[in-house]
Amino acid sequence: MLPALDPKALIESNYQDFLTHLGKSNFSGDIEYSYASRLAVSTDNSIYQQLPQAVVFPKNIEDLSLIGKTANIYEDVKFSARGGGTGTNGQSLTSGIIVDVSRHMNQVLEVNTQQSWARVQAVVVKDQLNDALKPLGFFFAPDLSTSSRATIGGMISTDASGQGSLVYGKTSDHILGITSVMADGTILNTAPMSL
């Protein structure tokens, strides 16, 4: 008979402490330790592979903030955000904790056709957004080769330009405001400055 392995036993103690604390807090998302969950996010669209300690799936901005605030309590806890995993340089990989926002934070929240803007969550895929905008006579540029997988959050973080950017501009030319969560859990809201 083979003994059953406890997936938590393979996680470094400081990460176990962090995840236990997070699980006992107001965190409403999911925490996964299984080898399968960790292996699924150990690669991206690059040639690199790195197995994380665990994967957390926040449900909202408050969960993201709580992850940052809790990580500040524990020494040497590192994490990396992940959306579509389309980066070609291993940007979303870490030996720490993957914060995967793709499970819960992937909605088009509002489209204002009169003012020509949309409010979306970070992991809305570009094609998903354009599917919502097309019947209204709009589209979100630029055109990326990975548009069926690339997320708006990832496009913002890399300022994606892609095909057609000379005509329509790059991602930063289309952003009116961003709600971001900093590494320490601080929530930062940005908007255009009045001149």
Side-chain angles (χ1 to χ4, degrees):
M1 176 186 282
L2 294 173
L5 295 176
D6 178 8
K8 290 183 185 177
L10 302 174
I11 298 172
E12 296 173 16
S13 62
N14 58 329
Y15 286 99
Q16 286 185 26
D17 294 343
F18 165 77
L19 293 165
T20 299
H21 186 147
L22 189 65
K24 291 180 178 178
S25 70
N26 292 330
F27 184 73
S28 63
D30 309 315
I31 301 172
E32 296 186 5
Y33 306 91
S34 74
Y35 183 75
S37 294
R38 295 164 58 207
L39 187 63
V41 296
S42 68
T43 60
D44 59 6
N45 200 32
S46 71
I47 61 169
Y48 306 110
Q49 181 173 15
Q50 193 163 36
L51 188 68
Q53 299 289 314
V55 188
V56 295
F57 299 90
K59 286 190 175 178
N60 49 48
I61 295 284
E62 292 75 23
D63 280 351
L64 286 169
S65 178
L66 190 55
I67 290 167
K69 288 175 181 174
T70 306
N72 286 329
I73 299 169
Y74 295 92
E75 194 171 321
D76 296 328
V77 169
K78 49 188 176 173
F79 46 89
S80 180
R82 183 182 177 98
T86 59
T88 57
N89 297 311
Q91 300 98 312
S92 67
L93 306 181
T94 183
S95 61
I97 294 175
I98 295 287
V99 180
D100 191 330
V101 291
S102 65
R103 182 177 288 178
H104 301 294
M105 299 183 71
N106 55 17
Q107 301 297 310
V108 176
L109 301 173
E110 181 180 4
V111 177
N112 185 320
T113 57
Q114 292 181 339
Q115 296 178 2
S116 301
W117 57 261
R119 190 167 59 92
V120 303
Q121 292 178 312
V123 194
V124 167
V125 173
K126 182 183 179 291
D127 281 357
Q128 173 192 0
L129 175 57
N130 280 336
D131 287 346
L133 297 175
K134 186 176 182 177
L136 305 171
F138 294 95
F139 72 99
F140 183 75
D143 189 16
L144 306 175
S145 62
T146 58
S147 65
S148 64
R149 302 168 308 286
T151 64
I152 301 302
M155 290 176 66
I156 291 169
S157 70
T158 61
D159 198 14
S161 54
Q163 188 175 328
S165 61
L166 291 176
V167 175
Y168 297 110
K170 54 189 177 180
T171 301
S172 59
D173 296 320
H174 301 282
I175 304 301
L176 298 175
I178 299 173
T179 300
S180 303
V181 179
M182 310 310 283
D184 67 356
T186 303
I187 297 173
L188 174 67
N189 291 298
T190 63
M193 295 175 60
S194 57
L195 300 174

